[in-house]
Amino acid sequence: MAAGARWGMTIPFYDRSLAGSRELVEELPGLGYTDVWSAEVSGVDGFVPLALAAQWAPQVRLGTAIVPVSTRGPGLLAMSAATLADLAPGRFVLGIGASSPAIVERWNAGEFVKPYARTRDTLRFLRKALAGEKVSEAYETFQVKGFKLERAPEIPPKIVLAALRPRMLRLAAAEADGAITNWLSPQDVRKVRAEVGAETELIARLFVCVSEDVDKVRERARWMLASYLTVPVYAAFHEWLGRGEALRPMQEAWAAGDRQGALKAIPDEVVDDLVVHGDAATCRARVREYVANGLTTPVLAPIPGGEVPIAQAVRDLAPGEA
């Protein structure tokens, strides 16, 4: 890789628990991975895997991609971020985002209202709180009175925003330290990059299946795509990217309760655009297409279903491999 280039990995891995991930995480720096990024949906939380990785792989940068802004109070979010920043000074990046109604409301009894404003307000609060300031402020979506971290981190973490469309992308460029996106093709990166400018770090999780069995990969990938691209924010994202007509039959079938019909309605070319697959060399070349088109930090998420076990895929996908 070129000096300064980034190549990330998602933890924990799909085929093992967090407790069983230590040895593979320890390998990552030696393989050439520069980053590890967690996620937070309905499995592990976003912070504990990084706390462990801070000890298991002390060379890598750690990031959340992402923790929702509406499932924790602002103060608790600041405390969690400060803890990671203290464990890994200068190596932790806090990724936050609006998330979705299902995660915020149905699973966490929160309120998914004014997602853009809530994300913006949380970003502004965290900037002050993580710098050690005492915060008493009425934001548009919440109010904080007299919050001050007991122990502010010596090096406040960078904060990046989950952003899918122009308004949030521009907020990320203007007020945050980067943008995180998801489920896009190498060609789509150009459109996203145009919204954030040349200097903003752009991060994306890329789902990768090391397999030459195209039919098997597409069958598994369709389930993943349907579960995401029927969510309103992702549907709107792909409408903006130009896939609205291609995805409409899938979305209509899903809304009617026809799950199998929805899966069949996803065109092969959409699957191949959004999921990286093939042998390891083909996958690495595809990831580099994303980078060539303006992605700063690819974060690989090897998915099961291929002929190659996850642990071997992690090794084979390393940037230093021939």
Side-chain angles (χ1 to χ4, degrees):
M1 289 193 301
R6 310 210 72 87
W7 197 271
M9 177 56 62
T10 299
I11 63 167
F13 307 98
Y14 275 91
D15 66 339
R16 66 197 65 200
S17 68
L18 178 59
S21 296
R22 177 172 183 163
E23 289 186 2
L24 193 50
V25 171
E26 288 176 337
E27 284 188 49
L28 295 177
L31 293 169
Y33 291 97
T34 62
D35 293 48
V36 296
W37 291 77
S38 63
E40 188 169 277
V41 182
S42 59
V44 296
D45 78 301
F47 291 106
V48 172
L50 301 184
L52 292 170
Q55 310 306 310
W56 295 344
Q59 306 94 318
V60 300
R61 186 173 69 157
L62 314 165
T64 57
I66 52 88
V67 292
V69 296
S70 298
T71 55
R72 295 173 177 83
L76 178 57
L77 187 52
M79 287 187 285
S80 298
T83 302
L84 255 297
D86 184 57
L87 284 173
R91 293 195 293 124
F92 173 56
V93 180
L94 175 63
I96 59 173
S99 191
S100 70
I103 292 173
V104 174
E105 295 184 340
R106 297 209 299 267
W107 300 352
N108 287 286
E111 292 185 350
F112 189 79
V113 294
K114 297 184 176 180
Y116 171 85
R118 179 67 185 241
T119 303
R120 179 203 62 209
D121 294 348
T122 303
L123 169 63
R124 291 174 178 175
F125 162 77
L126 288 169
R127 283 286 195 219
K128 292 184 176 183
L130 291 168
E133 296 182 30
K134 185 175 184 178
V135 184
S136 292
E137 192 159 343
Y139 299 92
E140 181 182 344
T141 56
F142 59 84
Q143 183 171 333
V144 175
K145 295 181 179 180
F147 178 83
K148 189 176 190 298
L149 282 168
E150 184 177 300
R151 183 185 179 90
E154 289 186 12
I155 304 174
K158 291 184 177 181
I159 305 173
V160 295
L161 300 186
L164 298 178
R165 286 182 291 161
R167 194 181 184 202
M168 195 75 84
L169 287 164
R170 291 168 191 162
L171 175 66
E175 297 193 32
D177 299 299
I180 303 171
T181 190
N182 197 7
W183 289 117
L184 77 172
S185 73
Q187 293 70 35
D188 296 333
V189 172
R190 294 179 183 271
K191 187 164 187 174
V192 174
R193 171 58 72 187
E195 297 296 333
V196 299
E199 301 304 316
T200 301
E201 180 173 9
L202 183 60
I203 303 149
R205 177 167 282 114
L206 307 178
F207 294 94
V208 183
C209 189
V210 181
S211 173
E212 297 181 70
D213 188 338
V214 176
D215 291 338
K216 188 175 179 181
V217 172
R218 287 173 176 164
E219 180 181 5
R220 178 173 182 83
R222 280 186 164 88
W223 277 106
M224 298 177 67
L225 288 168
S227 67
Y228 270 89
L229 303 189
T230 52
V231 175
V233 291
Y234 279 99
F237 179 44
H238 283 273
E239 181 79 35
W240 176 62
L241 291 174
R243 292 193 186 88
E245 288 302 316
L247 293 172
R248 191 157 291 115
M250 178 271 288
Q251 291 160 352
E252 290 174 352
W254 190 271
D258 182 3
R259 298 295 188 255
Q260 289 301 321
L263 298 176
K264 291 176 183 176
I266 303 174
D268 287 347
E269 55 268 26
V270 170
V271 179
D272 296 343
D273 268 354
L274 303 181
V275 176
V276 177
H277 61 92
D279 62 24
T282 299
C283 290
R284 289 195 304 274
R286 181 72 166 172
V287 173
R288 290 193 171 97
E289 284 185 48
Y290 283 88
V291 175
N293 284 345
L295 185 64
T296 316
T297 306
V299 179
L300 280 55
I303 57 177
E307 303 82 55
V308 178
I310 293 289
Q312 191 59 47
V314 169
R315 298 176 185 118
D316 291 348
L317 292 168
E321 290 300 307

CSV table of all heavy atoms in Angstrom, one decimal, residues 131 223 297:
chain,number,residue,atom,x,y,z
A,131,ALA,N,-13.9,17.8,24.9
A,131,ALA,CA,-12.8,18.7,25.1
A,131,ALA,C,-12.7,19.1,26.6
A,131,ALA,O,-11.8,19.9,26.9
A,131,ALA,CB,-13.0,20.0,24.3
A,223,TRP,N,-30.4,-11.6,0.5
A,223,TRP,CA,-31.0,-11.5,1.9
A,223,TRP,C,-30.5,-10.2,2.6
A,223,TRP,O,-31.2,-9.5,3.2
A,223,TRP,CB,-30.8,-12.7,2.7
A,223,TRP,CG,-31.7,-13.8,2.4
A,223,TRP,CD1,-31.5,-15.0,1.8
A,223,TRP,CD2,-33.1,-13.9,2.8
A,223,TRP,NE1,-32.6,-15.7,1.7
A,223,TRP,CE2,-33.6,-15.1,2.3
A,223,TRP,CE3,-34.0,-13.0,3.5
A,223,TRP,CZ2,-35.0,-15.5,2.6
A,223,TRP,CZ3,-35.3,-13.4,3.7
A,223,TRP,CH2,-35.8,-14.6,3.3
A,297,THR,N,-11.0,5.2,3.4
A,297,THR,CA,-10.8,4.0,4.3
A,297,THR,C,-11.8,2.9,4.0
A,297,THR,O,-13.0,3.0,4.5
A,297,THR,CB,-11.0,4.5,5.8
A,297,THR,OG1,-10.1,5.6,6.1
A,297,THR,CG2,-10.7,3.3,6.8
